[in-house]
Amino acid sequence: LRHDLRESYVAHATKVAQELGLAGMSFATEQIVAVETFLEIEHLLQHHIETALLHQATDYLVDLARRRQSGFWAEQLPDVQACWALIIAAGQVLREADRVEQALTAPALDATAMLHAYATAEHPWCLLDTTHRNMERRYHTFDFAAAGQQQALEQLVFKARDRYTQVGSALAEAFVRCYQQAAFHLPTVLRQVEIFDQYVRPALAQGKTAYIWVDALRYEMARELAQTLGAERDIKLTPALAAVPTITAIGMAALLPGAQHATLVSAGKQRLALDINGTIIKERKDRIAFLKAGIDGTVVDARLNELMPSPKKKIRDAIQQADLILLTSQEIDQLCEGDDIHLARRTMDDMLSELSRAFRILTDLHVQTIIVAADHGYLFGDELSDSMKIDVPGGDTAEVKRRVWVGRGGAAQASYVRAKIADFGLGSDLEIASPVGFAGFKVKGGAKAYFHGGLAPQEVIIPVLTLTAKPDQGMAHDPITWSLTPGSQKISTRFISVHIAGERAQAQMFDVVPPRVRVEIRVKNTVISIPTSASYGFEEATSEVQLALKDADPLTIEPNTVALMIANPPEEKTTASIHLIDAATGVELARLKRIEVAILAY
């Protein structure tokens, strides 16, 4: 509990452990589950839990790992905290796989019921995709070299991957079969082509509106993001069925006004497009021109990254004068289709953090309603093995990708479903074929592990996220005196921890409202760090941390230790600064200057 004595304690505990020979001793789990005295015991307990999870994943084991994540050694050593976080993430994947697998053995649901079980249930099936995405990000930011022998941990991650592929594929096949039995018509479910008329047009009648198109924003990602947003907005998340095939050219055009009357057409060179009232929509410039022509009012368009970290005066003025603000983003598709799986896994969730910041900026610019929609979802698992690749139907092909074939004629097989495009509510004489499960067609090129275009729930169920600003309630916040303490006085490894503490003066009138914060390490105003975990309150979607009050002392913030990975280490010795940011307002709460950075081994 004495933060000023922790380094001394670690030194003496290490010495005593060596004298006792603890590293060579074995203990049963029940003997050490409540012991925090020595680092060797912490490592041994991690190994015990990893081994137990490999045998059978239980909520007890995951909860035990979560409790240790806020223990002494996890707060003192960021690699220990990162290890616990990865154990928890893998355990969560295994638990969600078990739950979904069990649910799929129950009496068969119809397609509409399956959609709601996946998206809107109290414990939705889409959590399987969320936990898998979070596990993969943690795995690809984990420093196995620094952590030493972690064979059981790697085996745990590999098992979680296998279970995700097995159960996720079974879920996809069950949904696609039910969707087919419903003749691909779910009358009570919102369709992507209805989003503009049912959401955007009514919002415009009420005031300034932002319409954000996010490429490959999977439903489960929007759900996780919505859960992190503050109470200053009314938030509504609705699942919708994407237009088919679930590719960018079609999905983005389906977000335009009048898209419910669109026709899917061939645009030559095995490319598809939407024809909306005689206008062929092929690419971004076509979409923007069509939208502006169909709106009675001022429309400004920009890319999402033009708002970061703060919009320039030209864009700010344009937003303030516009009726509709269109923001577009394609980072997820561009990143993941580049086939750098390691980089994609590490950084694809940055989009969620950027969206959260964009919401704050737009609200500050007096945007009344923000509507976020996606063109399609995706599958992102292991690389397809040869056994998971199937022959394309052949025939007259208009477009073919790993997850979809569109054309006329050709063969039919049990490994994929076939239907008419018209069955999905679009005008066309073309047909579609999509693999069931996680299989893919044999095609040249393309990404190795990231796919979309098909009918799996991960691809075809997309989010409509609506945020409406609440009236300013004038809530006052007392000033808090913050302190930041780095785990070491020099950044010499890829991981560093930062201890956060806060306290207010007795004399203040109002209750403390603990903020949601972001911790950044900067070199010359460039952020070089990625938050990876925290003692408590870490939000996977945005890497922000929700702080809390001490139970016994409402004047004091419960101390928290945040672990960060240095993602972009400087090429030479330099100094850095550590910043504590209020995530809701962007205001800097505290700063530490002149922290030496000397990472010698990369």
Side-chain angles (χ1 to χ4, degrees), residues 209-239:
T209 300
Y211 193 20
I212 305 180
W213 296 346
V214 185
D215 194 18
L217 179 67
R218 200 158 59 175
Y219 178 86
E220 56 84 14
M221 297 177 72
R223 179 184 180 275
E224 189 177 41
L225 174 62
Q227 292 180 323
T228 71
L229 299 176
E232 63 270 15
R233 309 176 187 89
D234 288 321
I235 301 167
K236 180 182 179 182
L237 177 63
T238 305

Short mmCIF file of all heavy atoms in Angstrom, two decimals, residues 209-239:
data_model
loop_
_atom_site.label_atom_id
_atom_site.label_comp_id
_atom_site.label_asym_id
_atom_site.label_seq_id
_atom_site.Cartn_x
_atom_site.Cartn_y
_atom_site.Cartn_z
N THR A 209 -27.24 17.53 -38.42
CA THR A 209 -27.04 16.08 -38.35
C THR A 209 -25.71 15.68 -38.97
O THR A 209 -25.33 16.22 -40.02
CB THR A 209 -28.18 15.34 -39.07
OG1 THR A 209 -29.43 15.68 -38.45
CG2 THR A 209 -28.00 13.83 -39.02
N ALA A 210 -25.01 14.77 -38.33
CA ALA A 210 -23.80 14.16 -38.90
C ALA A 210 -24.12 12.73 -39.31
O ALA A 210 -24.74 11.99 -38.54
CB ALA A 210 -22.66 14.18 -37.90
N TYR A 211 -23.70 12.36 -40.49
CA TYR A 211 -23.92 11.02 -41.04
C TYR A 211 -22.54 10.44 -41.29
O TYR A 211 -21.79 10.95 -42.12
CB TYR A 211 -24.72 11.14 -42.34
CG TYR A 211 -25.30 9.87 -42.91
CD1 TYR A 211 -25.50 8.72 -42.15
CD2 TYR A 211 -25.69 9.83 -44.25
CE1 TYR A 211 -26.06 7.58 -42.70
CE2 TYR A 211 -26.25 8.70 -44.81
CZ TYR A 211 -26.44 7.58 -44.03
OH TYR A 211 -27.01 6.45 -44.60
N ILE A 212 -22.18 9.41 -40.54
CA ILE A 212 -20.83 8.86 -40.60
C ILE A 212 -20.87 7.47 -41.23
O ILE A 212 -21.55 6.58 -40.73
CB ILE A 212 -20.21 8.79 -39.20
CG1 ILE A 212 -20.25 10.16 -38.51
CG2 ILE A 212 -18.77 8.30 -39.28
CD1 ILE A 212 -19.66 10.18 -37.11
N TRP A 213 -20.14 7.32 -42.34
CA TRP A 213 -20.02 6.02 -43.00
C TRP A 213 -18.69 5.40 -42.59
O TRP A 213 -17.62 5.96 -42.89
CB TRP A 213 -20.03 6.18 -44.52
CG TRP A 213 -21.30 6.73 -45.10
CD1 TRP A 213 -22.51 6.85 -44.48
CD2 TRP A 213 -21.47 7.26 -46.42
NE1 TRP A 213 -23.44 7.40 -45.34
CE2 TRP A 213 -22.83 7.66 -46.54
CE3 TRP A 213 -20.64 7.42 -47.52
CZ2 TRP A 213 -23.36 8.21 -47.71
CZ3 TRP A 213 -21.16 7.97 -48.69
CH2 TRP A 213 -22.49 8.35 -48.79
N VAL A 214 -18.73 4.29 -41.92
CA VAL A 214 -17.50 3.63 -41.48
C VAL A 214 -17.38 2.29 -42.20
O VAL A 214 -18.23 1.42 -42.05
CB VAL A 214 -17.48 3.41 -39.96
CG1 VAL A 214 -16.13 2.85 -39.52
CG2 VAL A 214 -17.76 4.72 -39.22
N ASP A 215 -16.34 2.16 -42.97
CA ASP A 215 -16.11 0.92 -43.71
C ASP A 215 -15.76 -0.21 -42.74
O ASP A 215 -14.86 -0.07 -41.91
CB ASP A 215 -14.97 1.14 -44.71
CG ASP A 215 -14.90 0.03 -45.74
OD1 ASP A 215 -15.88 -0.71 -45.92
OD2 ASP A 215 -13.84 -0.10 -46.38
N ALA A 216 -16.50 -1.31 -42.84
CA ALA A 216 -16.22 -2.53 -42.07
C ALA A 216 -16.35 -2.33 -40.56
O ALA A 216 -15.61 -2.93 -39.79
CB ALA A 216 -14.82 -3.08 -42.42
N LEU A 217 -17.29 -1.50 -40.14
CA LEU A 217 -17.60 -1.40 -38.72
C LEU A 217 -18.57 -2.52 -38.38
O LEU A 217 -19.77 -2.43 -38.63
CB LEU A 217 -18.22 -0.04 -38.39
CG LEU A 217 -18.59 0.17 -36.92
CD1 LEU A 217 -17.34 0.23 -36.04
CD2 LEU A 217 -19.43 1.43 -36.74
N ARG A 218 -18.04 -3.59 -37.82
CA ARG A 218 -18.87 -4.75 -37.51
C ARG A 218 -19.86 -4.40 -36.40
O ARG A 218 -19.56 -3.57 -35.54
CB ARG A 218 -17.97 -5.92 -37.12
CG ARG A 218 -18.63 -7.27 -37.24
CD ARG A 218 -17.62 -8.40 -37.36
NE ARG A 218 -16.70 -8.49 -36.22
CZ ARG A 218 -15.80 -9.46 -36.07
NH1 ARG A 218 -15.71 -10.42 -37.00
NH2 ARG A 218 -14.99 -9.49 -35.04
N TYR A 219 -21.01 -5.07 -36.37
CA TYR A 219 -22.04 -4.75 -35.38
C TYR A 219 -21.48 -4.84 -33.96
O TYR A 219 -21.71 -3.95 -33.14
CB TYR A 219 -23.24 -5.68 -35.53
CG TYR A 219 -24.30 -5.42 -34.48
CD1 TYR A 219 -25.27 -4.45 -34.68
CD2 TYR A 219 -24.30 -6.10 -33.27
CE1 TYR A 219 -26.22 -4.17 -33.70
CE2 TYR A 219 -25.25 -5.83 -32.29
CZ TYR A 219 -26.20 -4.86 -32.51
OH TYR A 219 -27.13 -4.59 -31.54
N GLU A 220 -20.74 -5.89 -33.69
CA GLU A 220 -20.24 -6.08 -32.32
C GLU A 220 -19.28 -4.96 -31.92
O GLU A 220 -19.18 -4.61 -30.73
CB GLU A 220 -19.59 -7.45 -32.16
CG GLU A 220 -18.45 -7.80 -33.12
CD GLU A 220 -17.09 -7.28 -32.69
OE1 GLU A 220 -16.97 -6.88 -31.52
OE2 GLU A 220 -16.17 -7.29 -33.51
N MET A 221 -18.57 -4.37 -32.89
CA MET A 221 -17.67 -3.26 -32.58
C MET A 221 -18.47 -2.03 -32.17
O MET A 221 -18.12 -1.34 -31.20
CB MET A 221 -16.78 -2.95 -33.79
CG MET A 221 -15.86 -4.09 -34.19
SD MET A 221 -14.90 -3.72 -35.70
CE MET A 221 -13.73 -2.51 -35.07
N ALA A 222 -19.54 -1.76 -32.91
CA ALA A 222 -20.39 -0.62 -32.55
C ALA A 222 -21.03 -0.83 -31.19
O ALA A 222 -21.20 0.12 -30.41
CB ALA A 222 -21.45 -0.40 -33.63
N ARG A 223 -21.42 -2.06 -30.89
CA ARG A 223 -22.02 -2.36 -29.59
C ARG A 223 -21.03 -2.09 -28.47
O ARG A 223 -21.37 -1.48 -27.45
CB ARG A 223 -22.47 -3.82 -29.55
CG ARG A 223 -23.09 -4.24 -28.22
CD ARG A 223 -23.43 -5.73 -28.21
NE ARG A 223 -24.03 -6.10 -26.94
CZ ARG A 223 -23.34 -6.42 -25.85
NH1 ARG A 223 -22.01 -6.40 -25.89
NH2 ARG A 223 -23.95 -6.73 -24.72
N GLU A 224 -19.79 -2.53 -28.64
CA GLU A 224 -18.78 -2.30 -27.62
C GLU A 224 -18.49 -0.81 -27.47
O GLU A 224 -18.34 -0.30 -26.35
CB GLU A 224 -17.49 -3.05 -27.97
CG GLU A 224 -16.47 -3.03 -26.85
CD GLU A 224 -15.23 -3.85 -27.19
OE1 GLU A 224 -14.76 -3.78 -28.33
OE2 GLU A 224 -14.73 -4.54 -26.29
N LEU A 225 -18.45 -0.09 -28.59
CA LEU A 225 -18.22 1.36 -28.54
C LEU A 225 -19.37 2.05 -27.80
O LEU A 225 -19.14 2.93 -26.95
CB LEU A 225 -18.09 1.91 -29.95
CG LEU A 225 -18.01 3.44 -30.08
CD1 LEU A 225 -16.77 3.96 -29.35
CD2 LEU A 225 -18.00 3.85 -31.53
N ALA A 226 -20.60 1.67 -28.09
CA ALA A 226 -21.77 2.31 -27.47
C ALA A 226 -21.73 2.17 -25.96
O ALA A 226 -22.17 3.08 -25.24
CB ALA A 226 -23.05 1.70 -28.03
N GLN A 227 -21.20 1.05 -25.48
CA GLN A 227 -21.16 0.82 -24.04
C GLN A 227 -20.13 1.70 -23.33
O GLN A 227 -20.19 1.84 -22.10
CB GLN A 227 -20.85 -0.66 -23.75
CG GLN A 227 -21.98 -1.59 -24.17
CD GLN A 227 -21.66 -3.04 -23.87
OE1 GLN A 227 -20.52 -3.48 -24.01
NE2 GLN A 227 -22.66 -3.79 -23.47
N THR A 228 -19.23 2.32 -24.07
CA THR A 228 -18.20 3.17 -23.46
C THR A 228 -18.57 4.64 -23.48
O THR A 228 -17.90 5.44 -22.85
CB THR A 228 -16.85 3.01 -24.19
OG1 THR A 228 -16.93 3.61 -25.49
CG2 THR A 228 -16.47 1.55 -24.33
N LEU A 229 -19.62 4.99 -24.21
CA LEU A 229 -19.96 6.40 -24.37
C LEU A 229 -20.61 6.94 -23.11
O LEU A 229 -21.31 6.24 -22.40
CB LEU A 229 -20.89 6.59 -25.57
CG LEU A 229 -20.30 6.14 -26.92
CD1 LEU A 229 -21.33 6.27 -28.03
CD2 LEU A 229 -19.04 6.94 -27.25
N GLY A 230 -20.38 8.20 -22.84
CA GLY A 230 -20.87 8.81 -21.61
C GLY A 230 -22.36 9.08 -21.63
O GLY A 230 -23.05 8.89 -22.65
N ALA A 231 -22.86 9.55 -20.51
CA ALA A 231 -24.29 9.77 -20.34
C ALA A 231 -24.74 11.11 -20.90
O ALA A 231 -25.91 11.48 -20.75
CB ALA A 231 -24.63 9.69 -18.85
N GLU A 232 -23.83 11.85 -21.55
CA GLU A 232 -24.22 13.17 -22.06
C GLU A 232 -25.03 13.08 -23.36
O GLU A 232 -25.50 14.09 -23.88
CB GLU A 232 -22.98 14.05 -22.28
CG GLU A 232 -22.01 13.52 -23.32
CD GLU A 232 -20.95 12.61 -22.72
OE1 GLU A 232 -21.13 12.15 -21.57
OE2 GLU A 232 -19.94 12.36 -23.40
N ARG A 233 -25.23 11.87 -23.89
CA ARG A 233 -26.02 11.68 -25.11
C ARG A 233 -27.01 10.54 -24.92
O ARG A 233 -26.75 9.60 -24.18
CB ARG A 233 -25.12 11.34 -26.31
CG ARG A 233 -23.95 12.28 -26.54
CD ARG A 233 -23.11 11.78 -27.68
NE ARG A 233 -21.88 12.53 -27.86
CZ ARG A 233 -20.74 12.24 -27.24
NH1 ARG A 233 -20.69 11.24 -26.38
NH2 ARG A 233 -19.65 12.97 -27.46
N ASP A 234 -28.14 10.63 -25.63
CA ASP A 234 -29.03 9.48 -25.76
C ASP A 234 -28.47 8.60 -26.87
O ASP A 234 -28.17 9.08 -27.97
CB ASP A 234 -30.45 9.94 -26.11
CG ASP A 234 -31.15 10.60 -24.94
OD1 ASP A 234 -30.96 10.13 -23.81
OD2 ASP A 234 -31.87 11.59 -25.16
N ILE A 235 -28.35 7.32 -26.58
CA ILE A 235 -27.68 6.39 -27.51
C ILE A 235 -28.64 5.27 -27.87
O ILE A 235 -29.27 4.66 -27.00
CB ILE A 235 -26.41 5.81 -26.87
CG1 ILE A 235 -25.45 6.94 -26.49
CG2 ILE A 235 -25.73 4.81 -27.81
CD1 ILE A 235 -24.32 6.49 -25.58
N LYS A 236 -28.74 4.99 -29.15
CA LYS A 236 -29.57 3.89 -29.63
C LYS A 236 -28.78 3.10 -30.67
O LYS A 236 -28.21 3.67 -31.60
CB LYS A 236 -30.86 4.42 -30.26
CG LYS A 236 -31.79 3.33 -30.79
CD LYS A 236 -33.03 3.92 -31.45
CE LYS A 236 -33.94 2.82 -32.00
NZ LYS A 236 -35.14 3.40 -32.69
N LEU A 237 -28.73 1.79 -30.49
CA LEU A 237 -28.04 0.91 -31.42
C LEU A 237 -29.05 -0.07 -32.01
O LEU A 237 -29.74 -0.77 -31.28
CB LEU A 237 -26.91 0.15 -30.72
CG LEU A 237 -26.15 -0.87 -31.57
CD1 LEU A 237 -25.42 -0.18 -32.72
CD2 LEU A 237 -25.15 -1.65 -30.71
N THR A 238 -29.13 -0.11 -33.33
CA THR A 238 -30.10 -0.95 -34.03
C THR A 238 -29.38 -1.84 -35.04
O THR A 238 -28.54 -1.35 -35.81
CB THR A 238 -31.13 -0.09 -34.78
OG1 THR A 238 -31.74 0.82 -33.86
CG2 THR A 238 -32.20 -0.95 -35.43
N PRO A 239 -29.67 -3.14 -35.07
CA PRO A 239 -29.09 -3.98 -36.12
C PRO A 239 -29.86 -3.83 -37.42
O PRO A 239 -31.08 -3.63 -37.43
CB PRO A 239 -29.25 -5.40 -35.55
CG PRO A 239 -30.45 -5.31 -34.66
CD PRO A 239 -30.47 -3.91 -34.10
#
